[in-house]
Amino acid sequence: MGSDPTVTFAPWEIAVEVPHGTTLLEAADQRDVGIEALCGGNGLCGTCAVEVEAKDPPLSPLDPDEKTVLDEEELAAGYRLGCQATVEGDVSAFVPASSRSEGEIVMTEGAEIDFEHDPAIRRFQLAFEGPTLEDTLPDRERVIKALTEEYGLDIDTVDRVALTDLPSTIRDGKTDGKFRVTATVAEETEILGVDPGRTGPAYGLAIDIGTTTLAIYLLELRTGEVEAVDSKINPQSTHGGDIISRVQYSTQKPEGKSELQREIREAVNDSIDTVTDEADVDPQSVYEAVFVGNTAMHHLFLGINAGAVAATPYVPANRARLKTTARELDLAMNPSGAVSWLPIIGGWVGPDFVADLLAAGVLDRDETVLAIDIGTNGEIAVSGPEQTYVASAPAGPALEGAEITHGVRAKPGAIEAVSLDPETWAPDLEVIGDESPMGICGSGIIDVVAQLFLVGGINRRGRLIDPEDGRGRIREGGDGSRDFVLVDAEEADVDEDIIVSQDDIRDIQNAKAAIQTGTNVLLEEAGIESVDRLVMAGGFGNYIDPESAKLLGLYPEVDVDAVEFLGNAAGYGAMYALLNRDAKAEADHIVSAVEYVELAAWDGFHDLFMEAMYLPHRDFDRYPSIKERVEAAQGRPAEEL
Amino acid sequence: MGSDPTVTFAPWEIAVEVPHGTTLLEAADQRDVGIEALCGGNGLCGTCAVEVEAKDPPLSPLDPDEKTVLDEEELAAGYRLGCQATVEGDVSAFVPASSRSEGEIVMTEGAEIDFEHDPAIRRFQLAFEGPTLEDTLPDRERVIKALTEEYGLDIDTVDRVALTDLPSTIRDGKTDGKFRVTATVAEETEILGVDPGRTGPAYGLAIDIGTTTLAIYLLELRTGEVEAVDSKINPQSTHGGDIISRVQYSTQKPEGKSELQREIREAVNDSIDTVTDEADVDPQSVYEAVFVGNTAMHHLFLGINAGAVAATPYVPANRARLKTTARELDLAMNPSGAVSWLPIIGGWVGPDFVADLLAAGVLDRDETVLAIDIGTNGEIAVSGPEQTYVASAPAGPALEGAEITHGVRAKPGAIEAVSLDPETWAPDLEVIGDESPMGICGSGIIDVVAQLFLVGGINRRGRLIDPEDGRGRIREGGDGSRDFVLVDAEEADVDEDIIVSQDDIRDIQNAKAAIQTGTNVLLEEAGIESVDRLVMAGGFGNYIDPESAKLLGLYPEVDVDAVEFLGNAAGYGAMYALLNRDAKAEADHIVSAVEYVELAAWDGFHDLFMEAMYLPHRDFDRYPSIKERVEAAQGRPAEEL
């Protein structure tokens, strides 16, 4: 049989060589591929089921446990139990979301929710007399009358579908001579459903559709508790990882738009199934969903032509918050449920950033605030004393580790944090999953560049210094380009040195300059020089080391105490919109109140950008604490750097 | 080949024996089955196409004309040209609506439309600047701004589906540097569609869904012109001709409700196809539909559980006017089109009667008005000086000729009018299609009873007089029952005498007493004894001879000049609601302003009913003109009748 077979785990494409007879679960454990195994690998629970698509894969034959635990549909689809199936040859296994204990790191924890809890959807218990020949008030008006008399509500609408079964549901609720029902009401004005008797709580969904990942939170609306969470890769990714190529797919391919819409809708519905299953909640009792995401994801989810978003002047189809019913979008919840997408500021400042601002309460603060959501596209807001300005900075994917020589996503084997010894520049690495390193993810590459700047490996223009002074870690290629060697090949899980090239450093400089320039433009528009508070929104902001970001000049000088990390602020904003009925109007207010600044059309943008290519900025005196720190680290005045 | 073959024409099931070699068209002509033949039977126009479902029917082989005129689909479905195909054996042919020159008589002509013409749906031409980097207003808000600036509209909504293509449609409309589009706007507040360039007019549908028939009117909204009309049998009829049995089908059979909903929806969509085809109108430019019909048809169309409508206390699911979009109901028009059903007064006083009252402007008049819509269920309104009262009278089907010994629908061969010679009682008949009579339709049976009363064939209690005095036309059965012989068998197109039995007369008396009692209850509620004006609404009111109705006491004494016949007032009301944007609010006002009187719960109803069983009423003095007329006709005082 020769060499050991290789198992490749999708969707991460993590490969591992294992001896014949190793179980898939054991193989996964060797690379920290997180497969759930609640029964301890005894073939009882089925949580380790993985999908093996190949016909007659080189695995042990199905054993009786597998035939018992897996159902016919799963068996037909090629599912196997990771703890029972043993490897007999090269094989690829897909780990479905339901079987993952960890894996790709997707932020799903929002910050603490701290606001007045007053959901738009509420349930009301009613008991009223039924009709007689003397009192023939129709059912709809009878329920409305009861809501008015018992709770003072002023109902103006009853959902069309909710009406269809109203005659039978109220009669089904007849006990002790009265009609006893539970009415589910939105905004105290619209009846979305009537159920016989006394029912359990109503639920809502906060849904964050990112370009890469999709996150869903199931909340009990009355208590505000998060009952279940699911996240998965946005399936549209296969038609383009970045927004532009995905939008092009939607506009250039016949049926592309409807294909993308169908894919993301099915993924959302799968996730709704997952969270309602997990929390043992009837999807019919899910009565609201609030969506956030960037403008392109908004358009693609709703089937709106997104062509104009991806081409200059990058105009969205709408600014307004959209409201519809679950049935209009074929969502796997109550068909009368209220569905909304938060409103849009611009083609590149979407509902996700509106949710950030909403969650952070940026417009409500008395202090001046800078809010940044770092991603391929960085969204920035500066809230001055009189006006809030927002902009979108095209940072590119470098800050996320993409298009970097050894860039990888945050996954087992990725270097996520780096510090360099001030003298030897020997790196101290943190690797996800405590494995041999196989690449550098976004937070790691930012650390490397920041550390190189701190120890003097690059000058203020980002140029790697002469290899002679490079502690043996800077080397020159034949074409005159220079690389910084982070990990030698023998210590790495790849066949070559893990390096950071001069071009990689340039990419990081460009990205940080884009965000820094956007910030500086907005500060200038707001007429202020410094901010009282910095809000880092977005999952990525959570992973970046704030000191590294500060060293690079990614944000202006502020006290460490004045920095807030809001994690998945977009999801948090969606939850806020779900749990507080005024929040949607607040979101509308944000959109109408802020002033959008188009950087591409801003006079002097280019000059500011050039200044921002320096580390941390051409004008070092604007960053006194960094200047002091770098001078101390290198033992020489800033002028010599 | 023996005897002559028989051709049976569906849907009327009219059978005719013809010699071999007769064309289907000639066969049809013999029985006045109206088949269109625009080209004079020369095989050119195709208007005489009929469907012959049998495989290998006993007809002449397809001739070249038929292969030319009929298309493949028609040929595959068994269509033949009536003017070419000759009969070689017993055969059944269905005459599709498109080939009928007459046939079942369905009122489709509304009265003259005479009201302020101001449709809710209007189209606006726009020309505006496109976005630039300096002006990134989103598309939706840009179109709204143009509508506000150019026309002063205050738009608050853009239909979700209309938004999906907005980015491409406005850009497709770019000419001479400006975006030129046509916006279709409802109520000056909601954008339902945006098309590039300058488009043609918008259209609307007025749709009247009767228990038996369905009528659709396509109107150009700007001009108010009726562009095309279609009517057909309500396909739900196969699951019960009357409301009660149809509702039972919907509630008792699994999937019954959705089956009935699907059937009527498909019939409506077929009719929409027919009228848009006929008028050469793109269904996408049909932006509104207003529906009327009785409460049960309303519920069954919308998929609302109708069980409570058909059982005491006969309560509808809703009173309110329902509004939705065409796509919610899968209608074959613009998916963003506005669809509404007029509101409901009660389980047996539905949107159709609201439309009657709306069309007749009953509540707006300074005079006192009695409005009656006669059908299986008679709806009655009395509009007094202060209040309008409405009631539903369960007349039963007798007035329409159903459940009468020789009752038939209004169709060729039906006796539709009768007068009796005062001396000999010899009948003078009017038969639809000028054929040999084969039965009596509703207007005919009312004539017979009224004439019998006038000439003295029945007494004031409706009892047929002694056969000895019966001019040879009254005969007694063995069981003591009496019949009036209207047509001898040899003159009839059936194998027996066409008679009117004592029971038939009772049925008519019961029906008229129901309506008369309802009227009298409402007059009493209103505190008035006579009305200034009588409005006969509904198709059936058009066919009844007003003199006969008056003789029976179907309505109170009013001047002939004070009677208005509104024909298909319900359809007319729907058209009004389509062409005048205030009309829907007027309909809402009607529903909230009228007082519904439940006859079954009304004290003293039984006594009033017994009085109304007399002809024209126990108190003859309340009908002085009838008293005088009958006395004159019979030459004896009323006391002796």
Side-chain angles (χ1 to χ4, degrees), chain A residues 131-132 134 137-141 160 164-165 167 171 257 303-305 308 313 315-320 322 327-328 601, chain B residues 131-132 134 137-141 160 163-165 167 171 257 303-305 308 313 315-320 327-328 601:
Chain A
T132 62
E134 286 72 32
L137 189 68
D139 299 339
R140 174 187 181 280
E141 285 69 22
R160 183 183 65 78
T164 58
D165 288 327
R171 286 166 182 81
K257 189 177 86 166
I304 298 171
N305 186 307
V315 176
N318 63 295
R319 166 183 290 165
L322 298 190
R327 64 179 172 273
E328 282 255 317
Chain B
T132 61
E134 287 71 33
L137 188 67
D139 299 339
R140 175 186 181 279
E141 285 70 22
R160 183 183 65 79
L163 181 68
T164 58
D165 289 326
R171 285 166 182 82
K257 190 177 86 166
I304 298 171
N305 186 307
V315 176
N318 63 296
R319 168 183 290 164
R327 64 179 173 272
E328 281 256 317

